[in-house]
Amino acid sequence: MSKIERDEVSGTDTTGHEWDGIRELDTPMPRWWLWTFYATILWAIGYWIVMPAWPMVSDYTKGYLNYSSRDNLEKEIAAIEESRADIVQTLQDTQITDVKANPELYQFALSGGRSHYAVNCSQCHGSGAQGAAGFPNLNDDDWLWGGRVEDIYQTIQYGIRSNHEDTRSGEMPAFLTDEILEKDQINDVTEYVLSLSQEGRDMESAERGKAIFAEECASCHGDNAKGSTEVGAPNLTDAIWFYGGDKNTIARTIAKGRANVMPAWADRLDDTVVRQIALYVHSLGGGQ
Ligand code: HEC
Ligand code: HEC
């Protein structure tokens, strides 16, 4: 049985609960605590009225102030875009080859290009544009498709073997798969390719490969094997390898062909953005 009574020692009511003679005191909350508690309730009600608060089926209560951090962000972005509108327009109206002559415009393009590069390109070309096997290094002076800013601009706009109708195209044939060359001929021409940038190759084999090269390869890579930016055929004499410079990789390239794809950006990014990226890539040091 429980009954409420007053505890003599503390002068406080008990709750009436008792366990083995131990009785629970019903000590009231301190006043300051209680008032703070009421104040927070009032604060919450006030907050619901003035600020966005309750989710509803398809919307939410907007509150008296109609505050929205998203709207604020949009306004800020709009304000920035407006303040930039002039320079963006100038960039759009300036020949891409002339941008460098206008330092302010050039600086604007480079800083925009850097951040757009990080978002769109770094996953394939690396954050420092250093590339990887099959993904060209954009810092060096070795260009598959040309390193003038207008070449880079075109590459980014339309891509390489992309699905854009103006894409750059050109393919490394599969000489073994397509039965153009025999295995030992592949070996000979591989030795020849290696001998262009390395000492100590099997020169007898390379000599036979030289004849095959003139016949089968020079049309794209050039008589001197220095490549062609018309068809994206790499320079084979500079010891800079796109897919890899060991004998197996080169023989595999010749036997099975290569055709890596770089996406086209003209339909995905604003032209101003593509221009900024092209100028940025050109500035990385390997631009011609
Ligand atoms: C999906 C991967 C991928 C993405 C993303 C990508 N690229 Fe490429 N890019 C490639 C590949 C692969 C090649 C080489 C194509 C070939 O075999 O010729 C290439 C080639 C290039 C080249 C030509 C290099 C040369 O030597 O001529 C440039 C310039 C380039 N990319 C710039 C960019 C820029 C700028 C972006 C971002 C807007 C970008 N790429 C995004 C894969 C990619
Ligand atoms: C129709 C044009 C064409 C012909 C013919 C051709 N190539 Fe290529 N070659 C290319 C292209 C284009 C690439 C780059 C492929 C890519 O970007 O994915 C390439 C790439 C290569 C590579 C890779 C270089 C690197 O840096 O990794 C080697 C090696 C090569 N070719 C050797 C040869 C040899 C040897 C022959 C003759 C047996 C030959 N090619 C014939 C167009 C051609």
Side-chain angles (χ1 to χ4, degrees):
M1 274 301 287
S2 62
K3 61 180 187 309
I4 296 174
E5 51 190 51
R6 186 159 293 245
D7 174 60
E8 283 148 28
V9 181
S10 60
T12 310
D13 283 349
T14 68
T15 60
H17 299 159
E18 183 186 328
W19 295 273
D20 294 342
I22 300 171
R23 286 170 301 155
E24 183 182 29
L25 293 184
D26 188 13
T27 313
M29 303 281 188
R31 288 278 121 167
W32 65 264
W33 192 95
L34 211 57
W35 285 115
T36 312
F37 180 63
Y38 292 145
T40 60
I41 292 175
L42 283 177
W43 169 263
I45 293 170
Y47 199 88
W48 295 339
I49 295 169
V50 296
M51 297 299 273
W54 291 100
M56 298 189 300
V57 177
S58 62
D59 204 7
Y60 59 93
T61 57
K62 297 272 187 323
Y64 182 69
L65 293 180
N66 204 15
Y67 173 84
S68 158
S69 53
R70 185 171 303 186
D71 283 355
N72 288 0
L73 179 68
E74 272 166 19
K75 276 186 212 132
E76 279 169 32
I77 291 177
I80 290 174
E81 274 175 2
E82 200 183 302
S83 72
R84 280 191 191 158
D86 282 349
I87 197 156
V88 166
Q89 193 57 46
T90 317
L91 182 60
Q92 201 54 45
D93 296 341
T94 309
Q95 280 280 326
I96 195 155
T97 42
D98 295 341
V99 174
K100 224 174 170 170
N102 177 340
E104 193 201 347
L105 189 61
Y106 188 52
Q107 220 37 57
F108 168 75
L110 292 192
S111 55
R114 184 176 302 116
S115 53
H116 291 298
Y117 175 91
V119 175
N120 298 293
C121 322
S122 56
Q123 62 274 42
C124 287
H125 291 282
S127 53
Q130 72 281 11
F135 300 102
N137 180 340
L138 304 177
N139 293 311
D140 63 12
D141 223 350
D142 195 40
W143 294 97
L144 295 165
W145 300 93
R148 295 173 309 163
V149 68
E150 58 271 37
D151 300 327
I152 296 173
Y153 179 44
Q154 184 186 340
T155 301
I156 303 171
Q157 275 182 303
Y158 307 127
I160 301 162
R161 305 180 192 96
S162 73
N163 48 16
H164 197 286
E165 56 179 2
D166 295 324
T167 181
R168 292 189 182 279
S169 51
E171 232 157 86
M172 170 65 197
F175 285 92
L176 188 66
T177 315
D178 293 346
E179 297 176 4
I180 310 167
L181 295 176
E182 306 278 333
K183 260 196 168 138
D184 46 344
Q185 291 179 301
I186 304 260
N187 183 57
D188 290 345
V189 81
T190 302
E191 278 299 323
Y192 173 66
V193 168
L194 281 166
S195 75
L196 297 172
S197 56
Q198 278 180 21
E199 304 274 312
R201 303 305 313 183
D202 175 351
M203 288 320 284
E204 217 173 289
S205 167
E207 206 48 46
R208 289 192 298 270
K210 186 173 181 179
I212 302 171
F213 191 90
E215 184 99 345
E216 302 286 353
C217 322
S219 56
C220 291
H221 290 279
D223 292 333
N224 54 10
K226 289 206 186 293
S228 152
T229 54
E230 292 292 307
V231 292
N235 182 344
L236 303 176
T237 64
D238 57 5
I240 298 174
W241 299 101
F242 178 29
Y243 288 104
D246 59 291
K247 185 165 178 180
N248 277 342
T249 307
I250 292 177
R252 189 236 166 258
T253 297
I254 301 169
K256 301 201 174 150
R258 299 279 189 186
N260 253 4
V261 172
M262 148 89 177
W265 298 89
D267 300 333
R268 293 188 219 184
L269 300 176
D270 281 352
D271 188 42
T272 330
V273 171
V274 176
R275 283 163 179 261
Q276 289 180 319
I277 301 177
L279 286 156
Y280 169 69
V281 169
H282 183 253
S283 78
L284 289 175
Q288 285 163 0

